[in-house]
Amino acid sequence: MTETGRVKIGILTCIHSNDVCTRAGCLNAFNHRTDYFQDYPEDTELSVLMTCNGCKEERPEQPRQDQGILEKLDRIQREGVTIIHVGVCRLLKNKKECERITEICSLLEERGIQVVRGTHRE
């Protein structure tokens, strides 16, 4: 929560979803307080939209060693974000969560940021 008592949240998505996703599903769910956002009060602030930094083939360093991810996590904390929702794009074709997203979620939780897996229904 901010000093005004407002909840600040963010959304994490897969960088590869940029090819086909406008984030309309996530933003509509937040703006209309549906699906995974249904319990948030009207004054909740969507402060962060971020992506992972890519798969192992493109970025061999794990998220714990990826300076770009660590900078993003620092910024999230500075912004006062307390909850990150993870988009449905975190799931691979076999419906398992991407290992990179899982590790980023662990890093967020280690920093005291709550992780909610979901934004809108598929």
Side-chain angles (χ1 to χ4, degrees), residues 72-116:
K72 288 177 184 184
L73 298 178
D74 288 343
R75 181 65 187 266
I76 288 169
Q77 284 189 295
R78 282 195 311 273
E79 290 298 318
V81 172
T82 57
I83 302 168
I84 294 286
H85 283 258
V86 188
V88 70
C89 56
R90 77 187 187 282
L91 299 176
L92 303 172
K93 289 187 188 333
N94 60 8
K95 300 296 184 188
K96 290 186 179 181
E97 186 169 84
C98 166
E99 290 177 18
R100 294 284 173 120
I101 294 286
T102 301
E103 187 167 351
I104 293 168
C105 290
S106 293
L107 290 168
L108 287 161
E109 291 170 334
E110 288 169 16
R111 291 171 176 244
I113 298 167
Q114 180 184 347
V115 173
V116 176

Side-chain angles (χ1 to χ4, degrees), residues 23-24 26 31 47 50 61 70-71 75 81-83 94:
R23 309 298 185 261
C26 294
N31 288 332
S47 301
M50 70 173 276
E61 60 277 330
L70 298 175
E71 286 179 31
R75 181 65 187 266
V81 172
T82 57
I83 302 168
N94 60 8

Side-chain angles (χ1 to χ4, degrees), residues 11-24 26 50-52 54-55 87-91 101 120:
I11 296 174
L12 165 64
T13 59
C14 168
I15 197 166
H16 294 291
S17 68
N18 288 337
D19 293 342
V20 296
C21 182
T22 64
R23 309 298 185 261
C26 294
M50 70 173 276
T51 65
C52 69
C55 299
V88 70
C89 56
R90 77 187 187 282
L91 299 176
I101 294 286
H120 61 89

